[in-house]
Every structure is written in structure tokens, then in C-alpha cells.
Amino acid sequence: MEDSVAGNGTLSDLGGKSYAELHKPSSSFATRSEYLNHELQIMQPKRWRVNLPFRDYRFEFEDTIPALAATIGKIVMVGAMAAAFAAPLGLSDAFVLENVRYEMLIAAFFVLILSGFLLPTSNLPGTHGPLVPLIPIVVAAGGHPLAFGVLMGVFGIILALCKGGSLMARLTSNGVAGGLLLYLGFVGTIGQVKAMIAWAEGIGLPHIAFIIIVATIVMYALLEHWQKRWLAVPIGCTLAGVLAFMLGAPFEFKTGPGLPPLNPMYWWGEDTGWTLGLPDLKAYIVAFPFAVLAVAMWSPDFLGHQVFQKISYPPRSERTYMNIDDTMVGCSVRQVVGSALGGANFTSSWGTYVVPAAIAKRPIPAGAILTAVFCIVVALWGYPMDLAVWQPVLSTALIVAVFVPLLEAGMEMTRKGKTTQSAAIVVFASALVNPVFGWSLTMLLDNLGLIGDKERSRSLGLSGRVMIPLVGFVILCLAMGAVGMFPGIPAFLPQFRV
């Protein structure tokens, strides 16, 4: 029976009873939190077998919160990805809009099938945000989005089959993981605050940003005090939108109901869609180092999401933790199929879903189904897309759903043990290049015993202490250097010197 569990725990503490047999109504518990903890502890997710609502898990009101945050985040991130391609390729805003709607439908299908039913501990395949700044370099070098996406998916499947993601997670100490979360949370928060201020100045009402941000801070503090932090997304977005509108910020609905083109040949035509046709061998060669780098970025990203669950979930709920290797499989398959269909999305673990879900103490599958439903509704209806990308709503959602919780998780991980040195080095090295460089370098230094917990270093063995971290760091440096990501150092490959 243990073989049916998602690889994150055993059933020995459940007495052989099923989820349905162990489930109790919420009225049986003194608090809502106790009920949600119990639900996490009795869930028995099964890999590559059908998991059904009410038999294997239930829907709760709390599931709507991560689903809402995920939908807003998806619109924003896919829009940014499509726009990053559209600008250098000379494609119109209409292309961006239609591709975002198309990607919402593609995402909904994979979320429903994988995270909702077949792999309930696989986090939703989302969007690879850190790739957005690299897209213009890929296009300038002659890269093709289909070649890029297919290679990325193939590399991801290889890494997942070798269980490389979970191996990297085991070799990453609390100090390294905590520092990574602190960096990502801090940079993201600062970025969204700056974006809000720039938006307010752009509409000639600079005071709006200050009022909204202060109101959001007070709201977040009150929710924390009342132990209702999982409500931060709907309350925060509503508060920001209402305040902005009342203070005179302009807003109008522009996107009406409709369906995007569903024929892949339209998207990969020479005169329609991407207007690029199908890729040749050169396009695959150009995309190769970027695909390696993109998949290499998955490990720290996935690790941060899983760590947040470990901090937020109660004891004996390990079975419900996000399975890193299964998430890689889901992301990889979704990437290959999505690119073949003509989508502009490049996949990673869906952070705007799993972080709010962890805060709300909810497992992955029920909220995943709601997310799929929300994505379909938004894609077909159209109007909610305008509200989701309105700057005060967008920035508030990302701050309270992702970036501030990442800061909290990073601080929590670095409170105990010899973690502060490693955390500081991660932040330092990430600021120099990027989080991939910071994570891989600090993991090497930490596992060698130069910083952090020396006892842990000695327990890793030669392969975990030296060989794997060193080989990983060298491979990542070669990939980053090849495309010119080291400050002040030209790209190793001439075609990327742009």
C-alpha cells in the first residue's frame, strides 16, 4: 500500500484506513485550523492513479484563495512572456492577447489532468518568470520558441527520470534554501513596490501608490494577528482596486468574450500567429544553452516552493508535500505539448498557486481543479483579464501571495542552527549574477564545509559533498557564460554577443 503514496511519506500512522473513512466534518474540531491540519494528515495521494474529489480529497472555501492568486499570476506572467517575444519579433498587441487566452486553456487542461487527478502532489505547471529578461537575447541570436520549448521539455524529462531535482533538494541546506527565499522575496517585493510607484506617477497621481501600499501593510498585519493570512489575496486585491478607483485612477474593461485560434498550424504558420514557420536545425542549436539554463533554474525554484509547504504544514502531513520530480515531469510534458500547440509559455512550478495554498494549509489537487476552472472562465469571458493586469491589483496580489510569504519563510529557515553564513552568501552571490549562480555556488561552499554546518558536511559523503555540487556548478557556469550572463564578461559563444 505504501507504493501508492506519492513518495513523501508512509501510511503506517493511518491504521490502513482510507481518506474517506478518516474524514471528519469540520464541526468535530475546536478550530478551523485543526480541521485543515487533520485533512492534510489523512490525505493519501496516489501517483499515476486516479484521485477523485470526495473519495481522496475535498473542496474547501480556502481552495479558492490560491486558485484566485494563481489565475491572476498566470495572466500576468504569460502576458509578460508573450510580450517579451512580441516586441523583438514585431508582433502586435493582438498576438499577445490571443496567445495569453490560448495559454490559459492549455494550462487548464494540464492542471486538471495532472495536478487534479493523476499526480496530486505535482505542483501546477506555471510560468518561468526568470526567463523573461532572456527572451530578447534568444530572439536576437536566432532562437525559435518552438525549438526552445521542445528542448526545455526534453531536458526536464531527463532530469526528472534521473531524480535530479529531489537530489539537489537533499543537498541544499536550510541556510542555502533560506537565503534563496530571502533574496527572491526581497527582490520581488522591491520590484512590485517600484512598479506601483511608477504606475502612480505615470497617471499623474503619485500619492495613490503610497496610500495603497500602507493600507496593504496594515491589512496584512491585521490578518496575521487574526490568523487569517490566507485571505490576503482576495481582501488585498479588493482593497487595492477599490482605493485606486476611489482616488481617481483610470480603469476600463477592454477585452470582451471570445475564443483564441485553436489550430497549431495557425500559430506556426509563416504568415499567421508567430509568423516564423517551423524551426530548422540552427534554431535548435541556438536554443540549446538557454534550454539547459532554463531547466537548471527549476531546482532552486521547486525547492523554495516545497520548503514553504514544510514550514506551513503540520507534522505527519509529509504525504501531501509537493514531489519535485513529479512536478518536473508535469512541467516538461506540458512544455513540449504547449510549445507544439503554439503557446508562448515557458514552464516552471506555479509559485502564485503553491505558496498561497501552503499558507491556507490546503493540499494541491482541489485548488488545482478550481484554478483550471478559473483559467477557462477568464480565457472565454475576457473581462477579468483587464482587472487582473491593472497595476494596483496585480502588484498587491504578487506581494501578499508570493513575495512577502517568501521573506517570512526565508527568515524562518535561518533562525536555527548554523545557517546565517550560507544565507548571506546566497544573497550576495545571487545579487552578483542571478539566483541560479547564487544557489549553486553557495551549495558547493556549504557542502564542502567552508561555511555553514560542518557536521552536516561530513555526513554527506564524497559525492554529496564534492562531486555533485562541483559538476553542477561547472555545468551551470558554462551555460550562463555561453549566453553572456556574467557581468562584464562577453558571452562565450559569439552569436550571443548582442
Side-chain angles (χ1 to χ4, degrees):
M1 194 166 182
E2 290 179 8
D3 292 338
S4 70
V5 182
N8 299 320
T10 67
L11 300 179
S12 58
D13 58 328
L14 300 181
K17 294 183 179 180
S18 68
Y19 167 82
E21 292 173 315
L22 292 166
H23 172 75
K24 298 178 183 178
S26 59
S27 58
S28 302
F29 298 87
T31 65
R32 183 69 178 174
S33 180
E34 289 180 13
Y35 168 69
L36 296 174
N37 286 343
H38 179 71
E39 286 290 292
L40 288 169
Q41 291 166 338
I42 65 172
M43 186 176 165
Q44 302 162 33
K46 295 176 282 290
R47 299 177 64 244
W48 297 114
R49 289 163 59 184
V50 176
N51 294 258
L52 295 176
F54 306 108
R55 186 192 73 180
D56 299 300
Y57 57 88
R58 272 173 165 72
F59 293 98
E60 304 290 347
F61 172 74
E62 288 84 354
D63 290 312
T64 62
I65 307 305
L68 176 63
T71 305
I72 294 173
K74 188 65 175 176
I75 296 169
V76 173
M77 296 308 299
V78 178
M81 190 73 72
F85 272 110
L89 291 173
L91 300 173
S92 66
D93 291 342
F95 164 85
V96 175
L97 173 63
E98 292 303 303
N99 204 282
V100 170
R101 298 180 96 151
Y102 190 37
E103 275 290 356
M104 297 290 281
L105 297 176
I106 295 172
F109 173 79
F110 280 95
V111 164
L112 195 64
I113 299 300
L114 293 178
S115 301
F117 293 107
L118 296 181
L119 282 174
T121 54
S122 166
N123 189 31
L124 288 56
T127 301
H128 205 333
L131 279 186
V132 173
L134 297 180
I135 297 303
I137 301 175
V138 178
V139 174
H144 193 290
L146 176 55
F148 190 6
V150 169
L151 285 176
M152 188 174 161
V154 170
F155 293 157
I157 291 174
I158 293 172
L159 186 62
L161 293 178
C162 297
K163 299 202 176 289
S166 56
L167 175 62
M168 291 297 102
R170 287 195 299 271
L171 294 179
T172 303
S173 70
N174 282 353
V176 176
L180 182 66
L181 296 180
L182 284 170
Y183 176 80
L184 295 173
F186 180 75
V187 170
T189 302
I190 293 296
Q192 289 307 314
V193 169
K194 288 183 176 179
M196 183 96 77
I197 293 173
W199 163 80
E201 291 176 345
I203 61 173
L205 299 169
H207 60 284
I208 289 182
F210 178 81
I211 294 172
I212 292 174
I213 292 170
V214 170
T216 302
I217 292 171
V218 174
M219 174 217 69
Y220 196 85
L222 288 173
L223 291 177
E224 179 70 43
H225 176 70
W226 294 327
Q227 296 185 343
K228 300 290 183 182
R229 195 172 45 140
W230 55 275
L231 288 171
V233 174
I235 294 178
C237 290
T238 302
L239 177 65
V242 170
L243 280 176
F245 192 75
M246 290 178 59
L247 293 170
F251 174 77
E252 61 177 321
F253 290 107
K254 299 178 182 178
T255 307
L259 263 178
L262 301 177
N263 184 356
M265 296 311 296
Y266 164 84
W267 290 104
W268 295 123
E270 296 192 1
D271 301 310
T272 55
W274 291 89
T275 67
L276 292 173
L278 296 175
D280 55 14
L281 179 60
K282 179 187 174 184
Y284 282 93
I285 294 173
V286 169
F288 184 88
F290 286 101
V292 172
L293 182 60
V295 173
M297 289 180 177
W298 278 359
S299 288
D301 200 22
F302 290 23
L303 174 64
H305 296 161
Q306 188 194 60
V307 162
F308 207 89
Q309 288 180 313
K310 291 180 178 179
I311 291 174
S312 303
Y313 286 1
R316 304 193 314 279
S317 61
E318 290 80 6
R319 288 177 297 273
T320 60
Y321 288 171
M322 164 186 159
N323 185 299
I324 290 179
D325 296 312
D326 284 349
T327 302
M328 282 192 175
V329 170
C331 287
S332 301
V333 173
R334 184 258 186 270
Q335 183 61 64
V336 172
V337 176
S339 292
L341 291 175
N345 187 69
F346 287 86
T347 308
S348 184
S349 176
W350 200 325
T352 51
Y353 173 79
V354 73
V355 172
I359 294 173
K361 295 186 177 182
R362 293 300 297 149
I364 290 172
I369 293 176
L370 294 181
T371 301
V373 172
F374 287 178
C375 285
I376 293 171
V377 170
V378 167
L380 299 182
W381 195 11
Y383 295 120
M385 295 176 64
D386 297 321
L387 188 59
V389 297
W390 195 28
Q391 195 65 55
V393 174
L394 160 67
S395 292
T396 300
L398 292 176
I399 288 172
V400 301
V402 181
F403 298 127
V404 171
L406 286 177
L407 280 171
E408 294 178 3
M411 293 180 210
E412 182 69 24
M413 292 193 72
T414 55
R415 282 198 315 161
K416 299 177 182 178
K418 301 174 182 178
T419 57
T420 53
Q421 291 176 338
S422 301
I425 295 295
V426 171
V427 174
F428 188 10
S430 297
L432 174 63
V433 182
N434 59 37
V436 179
F437 178 82
W439 164 72
S440 58
L441 174 60
T442 312
M443 182 175 66
L444 174 61
L445 297 176
D446 187 80
N447 288 4
L448 285 173
L450 299 178
I451 55 177
D453 190 341
K454 308 297 190 296
E455 290 298 323
R456 175 185 171 275
S457 173
R458 283 192 284 269
S459 68
L460 293 173
L462 181 63
S463 61
R465 189 170 65 252
V466 181
M467 299 304 296
I468 296 174
L470 179 60
V471 170
F473 178 65
V474 170
I475 291 174
L476 292 177
C477 284
L478 289 174
M480 288 184 283
V483 299
M485 296 188 70
F486 291 137
I489 299 176
F492 300 161
L493 301 179
Q495 60 265 40
F496 296 112
R497 295 171 187 167
V498 294

